[in-house]
Amino acid sequence: MDVMEAVKHSLIIYTSFQEQKTMQSKEFKAIAVHPRQYFIFGVCLSQYIQTVPKLVRMQCQNLILFQGNAAEAEIYTETYCPPNINKKDFRKVLDIAWQKTDECKHSFLHIVRGCPIETRFRRNFDVIIDNTHNRDTNVVTVKVDLTKK
């Protein structure tokens, strides 16, 4: 039996980032930076990205960003726009991700930081937004079948 299989894993959901003292503690930072060493999967919920400590934001492998105000969109652009994509094109990615449809009134941008640029940005979980090929015309979107194994 693998050691990882024998150890219980924990899910921690952080929902209140108003308590700055807790977020600055060495225990919180240790869990945020090294969750695998503690067999923890952490989920941070926050209305504003700036309330989550930078150390925690930089360690996240998956980000789910809902549409906010223009200032939040600018922060997302400054922080998560890849170097080979200009800011105007990245704003198109945000617009596509947040586009409301009859099926989904509250769509979101899902950033999978471990993936290559071509598949890193998604509308919800199932639509890949790839703007690396068609930069001057339209952003390409590709539907992904999540039921395949």
Side-chain angles (χ1 to χ4, degrees):
M1 178 182 289
D2 186 76
V3 173
M4 291 296 283
E5 292 175 10
V7 176
K8 298 284 186 203
H9 289 70
S10 298
L11 170 65
I12 298 177
I13 301 175
Y14 308 102
T15 59
S16 180
F17 281 97
Q18 305 308 319
E19 183 58 50
Q20 293 291 325
K21 188 176 179 182
T22 301
M23 291 187 301
Q24 299 304 326
S25 71
K26 64 180 181 181
E27 293 84 5
F28 179 80
K29 289 179 181 177
I31 290 171
V33 174
H34 305 290
R36 284 185 31 233
Q37 285 79 351
Y38 298 103
F39 305 104
I40 292 173
F41 181 81
V43 176
C44 299
L45 305 174
S46 177
Q47 186 170 353
Y48 303 105
I49 196 163
Q50 295 293 68
T51 61
V52 179
K54 184 175 182 178
L55 179 71
V56 176
R57 291 192 313 262
M58 300 313 291
Q59 294 297 320
C60 292
Q61 291 301 304
N62 289 276
L63 297 153
I64 297 174
L65 306 173
F66 286 89
Q67 185 174 10
N69 57 31
E72 287 283 311
E74 186 62 32
I75 291 168
Y76 298 155
T77 302
E78 289 293 324
T79 307
Y80 301 111
C81 180
N84 65 334
I85 299 174
N86 67 44
K87 292 179 183 180
K88 182 180 175 184
D89 287 337
F90 190 75
R91 291 301 294 257
K92 290 179 189 174
V93 170
L94 294 177
D95 291 342
I96 288 172
W98 294 334
Q99 189 175 41
K100 292 176 176 53
T101 65
D102 289 337
E103 298 89 33
C104 186
K105 302 271 190 244
H106 303 285
S107 60
F108 53 87
L109 175 64
H110 178 205
I111 302 175
V112 186
R113 293 179 67 187
C115 287
I117 299 295
E118 295 82 11
T119 58
R120 182 174 300 172
F121 304 103
R122 298 150 191 244
R123 182 177 190 277
N124 301 331
F125 293 112
D126 61 341
V127 178
I128 295 173
I129 305 169
D130 177 9
N131 70 344
T132 59
H133 302 294
N134 223 357
R135 196 162 285 153
D136 293 330
T137 55
N138 294 322
V139 176
V140 176
T141 58
V142 180
K143 185 87 170 172
V144 176
D145 186 358
L146 296 176
T147 60
K148 291 183 180 176
K149 295 198 181 207

